[in-house]
Amino acid sequence: MTAILILSAPFAAAQTPSFDINTQKCGLEKQLADHARSRLDNDLQRDFHDILMVNELTGGCGSLQFTDAKMDSHENGFSFGLSQFDLATRAEESLATLNKIIACSRQEHVSPGISDADFIFLQKNAHFSTYVLKDDKKKWDRFYEMRPAIEAALQSKCGRLYVENSYIAEMRSFEKKIAPWWTVIQTRNPGAVPAERFFKLYELDLENVFGGTEGFRKVVNREEGIPCGRLCAAKIVPVFALDGPVSASDLIRYMFTTNCYGYIPQQTRQQDALRRLNTVLGKIDLHSLPLGESDKHYLTTDFADILARNKKRFPNSPDEHLRELVTVANGGAPVSGDDTLMDEASLKAAAEVCSKK
């Protein structure tokens, strides 16, 4: 999840109190991020950390703040931490961590502290999305009033330790989780092994923001009865299939053709998916990626069109590594792509499907 980096507006000056990241409070947070990086086990985890610090935060800025990412999906909740624990989309784990932080901060006598009544309110309401909470002014204002106490707990000595330790444990668990996923890919196509770093880093980032790509693994492993997502069930997109042995661009194609997060243009979901991929590609030697003819065709046609449309809709969105990948696939020559936006009827149909729970 990615929080919007603008200064918090004063409560009195805003009709709806803001939970944006305050970028003037980042010194301690950046120190925390750097220290956590130094404790990671290997280069893969450290590269993933660098990616998360761009995709989720800015050098760790916001990790000790209680914020709202304002995602187009309207599913996110309040978040905190280096990898952004989300109280709505990762409710049980996130709330358990926050409860431990609040309990230990009380032992430190951190001020301002969270009252027993506020703690009970948090347990009852933390799992709601911020989109839902914002419609209940009383609850929204209550969270805003609690925010200084929650952030004091996060910034306490034990709070910082819990944030760092939980982050390191999460990094290790993510690496273990994708290990069998990668085994399937390299088993089905040993020729994909030179792209191992790309596959792993992209899947790690997708694990954090999207819950991973188990469906992709099933397709690669030729498993029967693969469930069709919302978009293909509505016949907006075809069922995803491989046109040969799995290769680097197939994972990209999967993300941008099968799901609401990657597919819907003209909204910030696809733009965010591209932004995150751009960060991942910044850690890869793109010239070393094994790109077959199917990779080159997809990257220089359909994917180049996606980039052109995204640039037209979001001209300031970072895409330098995305465009470099397309250029490499095209033998060193850039590709402009077709920037024709999706027609309104198709966009409306896709958005309606993706708004359903």
Side-chain angles (χ1 to χ4, degrees):
M1 172 175 23
T2 306
I4 298 173
L5 299 179
I6 57 177
L7 298 182
S8 289
F11 182 29
Q15 184 176 4
T16 302
S18 167
F19 286 84
D20 296 328
I21 288 176
N22 185 338
T23 57
Q24 295 180 343
K25 295 170 59 177
C26 297
L28 185 63
E29 295 172 323
K30 291 183 178 180
Q31 290 178 23
L32 178 73
D34 289 344
H35 190 261
R37 189 185 193 279
S38 72
R39 293 177 58 196
L40 295 173
D41 300 330
N42 52 50
D43 287 341
L44 180 69
Q45 290 182 15
R46 286 185 281 273
D47 279 351
F48 180 35
H49 166 87
D50 294 342
I51 288 167
L52 284 181
M53 291 306 99
V54 175
N55 282 349
E56 298 291 348
L57 302 165
T58 299
C61 186
S63 60
L64 302 177
Q65 299 180 47
F66 192 67
T67 58
D68 172 20
K70 305 178 188 175
M71 295 177 70
D72 266 352
S73 66
H74 298 155
E75 295 174 352
N76 73 281
F78 289 118
S79 58
F80 65 93
L82 285 165
S83 62
Q84 291 290 271
F85 282 106
D86 190 301
L87 289 165
T89 62
R90 301 164 60 192
E92 185 174 352
E93 178 186 11
S94 300
L95 184 59
T97 301
L98 185 57
N99 285 343
K100 291 175 183 176
I101 290 170
I102 291 171
C104 78
S105 71
R106 284 177 166 176
Q107 295 297 314
E108 286 186 30
H109 305 291
V110 169
S111 180
I114 296 175
S115 69
D116 290 341
D118 284 342
F119 186 78
I120 292 171
F121 173 81
L122 183 66
Q123 308 312 303
K124 291 181 177 179
N125 296 284
H127 68 281
F128 290 112
S129 71
T130 55
Y131 181 76
V132 170
L133 288 169
K134 199 171 291 186
D135 282 340
D136 188 326
K137 188 176 186 305
K138 185 175 180 181
K139 287 183 179 180
W140 187 262
D141 289 353
R142 177 79 173 269
F143 271 112
Y144 192 82
E145 291 164 1
M146 291 169 57
R147 187 185 188 191
I150 294 173
E151 292 186 347
L154 291 169
Q155 294 162 21
S156 68
K157 182 178 180 180
C158 69
R160 298 195 305 272
L161 187 60
Y162 264 115
V163 167
E164 183 174 324
N165 286 344
S166 63
Y167 174 71
I168 291 169
E170 187 173 38
M171 296 288 274
R172 291 169 176 164
S173 70
F174 277 3
E175 185 179 8
K176 289 179 181 178
K177 188 171 182 180
I178 70 163
W181 178 93
W182 167 245
T183 297
V184 168
I185 291 173
Q186 66 175 342
T187 299
R188 290 299 185 185
N189 182 16
V193 171
E196 176 179 357
R197 198 66 157 195
F198 164 72
F199 275 109
K200 286 185 173 180
L201 287 175
Y202 194 25
E203 181 64 11
L204 284 168
D205 189 60
L206 293 174
E207 182 68 38
N208 187 62
V209 72
F210 188 66
T213 58
E214 177 64 6
F216 181 74
R217 185 200 65 78
K218 289 180 178 180
V219 173
V220 173
N221 206 35
R222 305 169 192 167
E223 296 182 17
E224 299 293 332
I226 297 169
C228 181
R230 297 179 195 173
L231 292 170
C232 78
K235 301 189 184 305
I236 291 175
V237 300
V239 176
F240 180 82
L242 297 175
D243 54 5
V246 62
S247 58
S249 73
D250 287 322
L251 181 56
I252 296 174
R253 184 167 62 88
Y254 180 85
M255 276 307 299
F256 290 94
T257 60
T258 68
N259 62 84
C260 298
Y261 176 60
Y263 177 75
I264 300 186
Q266 293 147 256
Q267 293 186 354
T268 60
R269 278 187 272 195
Q270 186 182 84
Q271 179 270 336
D272 189 59
L274 287 168
R275 180 189 66 84
R276 298 185 76 98
L277 174 57
N278 186 69
T279 306
V280 171
L281 293 176
K283 285 289 185 180
I284 305 298
D285 177 3
L286 299 180
H287 293 274
S288 70
L289 277 180
L291 299 178
E293 290 307 311
S294 65
D295 296 303
K296 293 174 182 178
H297 177 73
Y298 171 70
L299 292 171
T300 58
T301 56
D302 292 351
F303 190 66
D305 292 346
I306 290 173
L307 297 190
R309 292 161 192 169
N310 187 69
K311 177 61 72 174
K312 182 176 183 177
R313 185 69 180 85
F314 302 98
N316 296 321
S317 183
D319 65 355
E320 66 275 20
H321 303 302
L322 300 168
R323 292 188 175 278
E324 182 184 354
L325 177 61
V326 171
T327 298
V328 169
N330 198 42
V335 180
S336 57
D338 180 358
D339 66 0
T340 304
L341 296 176
M342 181 182 285
D343 64 272
E344 288 301 318
S346 298
L347 178 62
K348 181 179 179 182
E352 286 179 351
V353 167
C354 290
S355 67
K356 296 177 182 177
K357 297 296 183 183

